[in-house]
Amino acid sequence: LYDIEKLKGPKKGDADADWDVIDKEISAQLAKGGQIRIVSSTILSPSTKAVIGDFAAKYPTTKHISYDVTSASGLIKANAESFGKAILPSYDFSKAKVIVGLSCDFLGTWVAPDAFSTQYAKGRKISSAKGGNKSMSRHFQFETTLSLTGSNADYRTAIKPSQEGLVALALYNKITGNGSASLGAEVDKMLDKAARELKAAQGASLVVSGSNDASVQVVVNAINQTLGSYGATIDLGTPAYFRQGDDAAMNTLIDEVKGGSVSAVIFYGCNPVYDHPRGAELKEGLSKVALSVSFADRADETSSLCKYIAPAPHYLESWGDAQPVAGFYSLQQPAISLIYKTRQAQSSLLKWAGLNSDFYAYLRNYWKANVIGGAD
């Protein structure tokens, strides 16, 4: 919050600028037309997505592209292929009597470790009290590098990175009785044991994979379908929104930027030059974009290359909301007044779209219309 690296106001190139000046110049550039792209990490805020929608209504060539540093795009793509739903489902580890993790650190880094840790802990506690667990969940972990999740497993088996897909396929074949090729004595032994226990816990089992390969995730989906996990430990009807990144769309954006077909790009809460695998290519291509803007609160690797920085304040200075899972909402309010001459990204987008830039009022109206049904 008090980091001295934070910008104290907007920038035009390397020079300090005034909000009125950059608003006028950015709006004029946007009005020229051409392809506009808004690039962000996953946005959980439904009102912010509505703001982006209003901005796109003003500038119809706008496309919003999300990417995540730790991507779940392969899982989302696999669910589209398996079920016709390009979503991240909700998981409930507390309902699973047998859990198998395939290079999946669900207690440390995968999707929603805070929620999963709480669920997992419930199944690992035995209680003699009425209604308490009389048996502990069983956890098998197949992974290369020791993870927090692997260190908590009952059985941890080391595999090669190249074996991730083969292990998933072998587990599927053992569960369905189709046989499988040998992956080594120790791996085969643990796969046999895991398959037996998963089948014995039909409807109360869960297999998860940390792979970002859609083909591997399709196999894992087939395993969970065979075990009756959907509707039990996996809920496709309540999507989670923690990871919404689309790897293919982000790669297309970088190709477009390099090809000079994008006229304006706006970076929202992300630093892809630093943290995307093709960041160096994006860096090279940004010079071809007529208008580049970042909402970063500092001159980071991406924003320092942009023609304008319209710095957003720290989240403790900001209004906002979130919808982490379908049907679950929360509000965010500032704990402190603005320290510097910063402005929320939502207000900037509204301003450049020619709308009322009071995001607090926008947020209230959004909630009245979409969340609480018109109540005061």
Side-chain angles (χ1 to χ4, degrees), residues 92-223:
D92 193 340
F93 287 82
S94 68
K95 295 180 179 179
K97 294 181 180 178
V98 179
I99 300 164
V100 174
L102 306 177
S103 294
C104 185
D105 188 17
F106 58 83
L107 298 180
T109 60
W110 189 69
V111 181
D114 290 344
F116 296 157
S117 296
T118 301
Q119 297 168 0
Y120 180 80
K122 290 180 181 178
R124 305 292 282 178
K125 293 178 181 177
I126 299 176
S127 173
S128 59
K130 184 177 181 180
N133 287 338
K134 299 301 183 286
S135 61
M136 191 170 72
S137 64
R138 192 68 67 89
H139 176 192
F140 297 82
Q141 188 78 359
F142 298 86
E143 61 184 12
T144 302
T145 304
L146 178 63
S147 66
L148 176 63
T149 304
S151 67
N152 281 275
D154 297 298
Y155 300 100
R156 180 186 178 273
T157 305
I159 61 172
K160 299 176 182 178
S162 59
Q163 291 180 312
E164 282 187 24
L166 295 173
V167 168
L169 184 59
L171 183 61
Y172 173 77
N173 286 332
K174 289 179 183 295
I175 290 170
T176 57
N178 292 325
S180 65
S182 175
L183 297 174
E186 183 62 25
V187 176
D188 289 345
K189 176 184 175 182
M190 295 313 301
L191 282 173
D192 285 337
K193 184 174 179 60
R196 286 195 303 270
E197 296 202 17
L198 285 169
K199 287 194 291 184
Q202 188 91 8
S205 57
L206 179 58
V207 179
V208 289
S209 168
S211 175
N212 199 35
D213 186 329
S215 299
V216 174
Q217 294 290 357
V218 166
V219 175
V220 175
N221 287 348
I223 293 172

